């Protein structure tokens, strides 16, 4: 069962306070790695960080507390979790005997394999809306078989083993899409491509913001100019396909990032506000209260108590 517990995540500790710690993984000759969680020394806790790679985590046994952005989940039954490099995450293990698998793959793997990129974009497992999936026993068996096959390919050292592993990765994504009963779109229209590009640009703009690298675009006009379309046209597309205009989506995403930083860092309100585009802290507080109903200081106290 997933539920939000009364638990305070570890405060951010970083030698460079202007950045969320970035975890890197050494991939050697391969751009994809697979680990059995019972074999790899799994750290009991991971303080808030981002990664420069994608991660798929399947938990089959053991309990833990996972925080992704501003959402905290208590994991006590089989789950598979898809984590995008832009996600701020932390983990606290609550039991010994952690079982399952995790797969790490670099952005470079997606660039080398266009079919893998299409599969990731098609099923939206890394987009934050469907990235935590509860598993039944038959699901665990089927997915464990795929993970095991990927691991055997990695350890074999055979020629083209990376190609084989990324093919298994596509199969893993398809199997998880089946579990969630996704409906396939009939086709991808040009309108939808513009919408998709907007959201990709918005996510890229938000990723890794900090107070030495604040957001550079936060208006509908700026995003439309970057996409080479008129602001009214972009607004019409977003309204048609999502029910909300460009400014609403930007405002919602900035609010999500602000909540995540309030929860997972000890940055000042001035620093958080500045990195998401507010030069003055009072303006950030007004923005936050208008859209969240409470001030950022009240939100931080409430979520941490």
């Amino acid at each position: 069962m997933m539920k939000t517990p009364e638990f305070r995540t570890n405060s951010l500790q970083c030698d460079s306070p202007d950045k969320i710690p970035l975890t890197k993984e050494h991939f050697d000759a391969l751009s994809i790695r697979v680990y059995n969680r019972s074999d790899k020394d799994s750290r009991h806790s991971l303080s808030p960080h981002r990664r420069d790679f994608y991660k798929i985590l399947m938990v089959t046994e053991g309990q833990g507390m996972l925080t992704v952005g501003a959402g905290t989940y208590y994991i006590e039954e089989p789950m598979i979790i898809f984590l995008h490099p832009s996600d701020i995450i932390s983990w606290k293990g609550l039991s010994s005997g952690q079982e399952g698998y995790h797969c790490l793959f670099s952005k470079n793997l997606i660039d080398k394999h266009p079919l893998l990129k299409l599969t990731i974009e098609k099923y939206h497992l890394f987009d934050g809306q469907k990235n935590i999936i509860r598993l039944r026993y038959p699901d665990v068996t089927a997915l464990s078989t795929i993970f095991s096959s990927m691991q055997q390919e990695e350890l074999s050292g055979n020629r083209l083993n990376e190609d084989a592993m990324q093919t298994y990765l596509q199969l893993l994504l398809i199997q998880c899409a089946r579990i969630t009963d996704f409906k396939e779109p009939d086709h991808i229209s040009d309108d939808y491509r513009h919408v998709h590009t907007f959201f990709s640009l918005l996510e890229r703009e938000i990723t890794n913001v900090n107070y030495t690298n604040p957001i550079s675009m936060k208006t509908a006009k700026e995003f439309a100019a970057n996409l080479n379309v008129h602001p009214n046209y972009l607004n019409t597309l977003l309204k048609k396909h999502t029910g909300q205009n460009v400014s609403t989506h930007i405002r919602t995403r900035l609010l999500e990032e602000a909540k995540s930083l309030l929860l997972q860092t000890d940055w000042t309100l001035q620093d958080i506000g500045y990195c998401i585009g507010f030069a003055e802290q009072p303006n950030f507080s007004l923005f936050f209260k208008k859209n969240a109903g409470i001030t950022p200081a009240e939100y931080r106290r409430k979520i941490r108590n």
Side-chain angles (χ1 to χ4, degrees):
M1 177 178 62
M2 289 190 298
K3 55 188 178 183
T4 302
E6 295 185 8
F7 175 80
R8 176 177 175 178
T9 55
N10 293 333
S11 298
L12 176 67
Q13 298 295 327
C14 181
D15 293 335
S16 180
D18 61 330
K19 295 182 179 180
I20 295 290
L22 181 67
T23 300
K24 296 180 179 290
E25 183 74 12
H26 183 54
F27 286 95
D28 298 315
L30 298 178
S31 298
I32 180 170
R33 308 292 301 275
V34 178
Y35 300 100
N36 189 311
R37 299 186 75 226
S38 61
D39 295 337
K40 187 175 174 62
D41 182 21
S42 181
R43 278 179 283 181
H44 188 69
S45 296
L46 286 171
S47 59
H49 66 288
R50 282 188 169 110
R51 303 147 314 287
D52 65 347
F53 51 87
Y54 291 81
K55 182 173 184 176
I56 302 173
L57 169 64
M58 185 171 77
V59 179
T60 57
E61 289 187 23
Q63 298 176 332
M65 201 81 68
L66 175 70
T67 299
V68 184
T72 300
Y73 307 92
Y74 178 43
I75 309 298
E76 61 176 350
E77 61 181 317
M79 301 276 177
I80 189 164
I81 302 148
F82 296 84
L83 299 168
H84 190 276
S86 66
D87 292 330
I88 304 175
I89 71 167
S90 60
W91 168 264
K92 181 175 179 61
L94 300 176
S95 68
S96 58
Q98 300 283 328
E99 299 286 342
Y101 287 91
H102 61 260
C103 171
L104 317 176
F105 60 97
S106 68
K107 300 173 185 177
N108 183 47
L109 183 75
I110 300 174
D111 296 333
K112 291 190 293 184
H113 298 280
L115 287 178
L116 174 61
K117 181 178 181 180
L118 287 173
T119 303
I120 290 173
E121 292 178 349
K122 181 177 182 179
Y123 296 118
H124 306 287
L125 292 167
F126 291 95
D127 68 1
Q129 298 179 4
K130 306 165 184 173
N131 63 332
I132 301 178
I133 303 171
R134 183 180 292 106
L135 302 176
R136 301 163 300 173
Y137 179 75
D139 302 327
V140 171
T141 301
L143 296 179
S144 293
T145 299
I146 299 174
F147 274 113
S148 178
S149 297
M150 293 172 68
Q151 189 174 47
Q152 289 175 27
E153 282 290 346
E154 178 183 352
L155 297 176
S156 72
N158 292 335
R159 190 173 71 89
L160 302 181
N161 60 340
E162 182 178 279
D163 288 356
M165 291 178 72
Q166 71 85 25
T167 301
Y168 280 120
L169 177 57
Q170 291 185 58
L171 180 60
L172 181 74
L173 297 175
I174 292 169
Q175 185 66 27
C176 289
R178 286 174 174 169
I179 295 170
T180 58
D181 294 323
F182 289 160
K183 294 181 179 179
E184 291 189 32
D186 294 330
H187 66 281
I188 306 271
S189 66
D190 289 339
D191 283 1
Y192 182 82
R193 292 184 191 280
H194 284 305
V195 172
H196 174 76
T197 303
F198 164 74
F199 282 113
S200 297
L201 180 61
L202 176 61
E203 194 60 41
R204 189 175 72 209
E205 185 68 17
I206 294 292
T207 300
N208 293 327
V209 294
N210 52 69
Y211 52 83
T212 60
N213 181 41
I215 189 171
S216 59
M217 293 188 297
K218 66 170 190 173
T219 68
K221 184 177 180 180
E222 290 168 331
F223 276 91
N226 193 280
L227 296 173
N228 295 315
V229 298
H230 194 278
N232 292 343
Y233 174 68
L234 186 59
N235 262 322
T236 299
L237 288 183
L238 268 294
K239 189 73 174 177
K240 173 184 175 182
H241 291 281
T242 70
Q244 297 177 325
N245 61 23
V246 176
S247 297
T248 300
H249 284 290
I250 296 171
R251 184 167 61 249
T252 299
R253 188 62 185 87
L254 291 176
L255 183 64
E256 289 175 354
E257 186 70 4
K259 287 180 177 180
S260 180
L261 294 173
L262 287 166
L263 170 66
Q264 300 216 48
T265 77
D266 286 328
W267 295 358
T268 66
L269 301 187
Q270 173 70 34
D271 294 334
I272 293 174
Y274 181 75
C275 80
I276 65 168
F278 293 91
E280 301 295 333
Q281 187 265 316
N283 292 335
F284 166 58
S285 293
L286 286 173
F287 160 81
F288 194 95
K289 185 171 183 178
K290 179 179 179 180
N291 293 282
I294 57 176
T295 68
E298 290 170 339
Y299 177 83
R300 176 174 266 171
R301 287 195 299 269
K302 179 179 177 181
I303 204 71
R304 288 188 171 186
N305 291 332

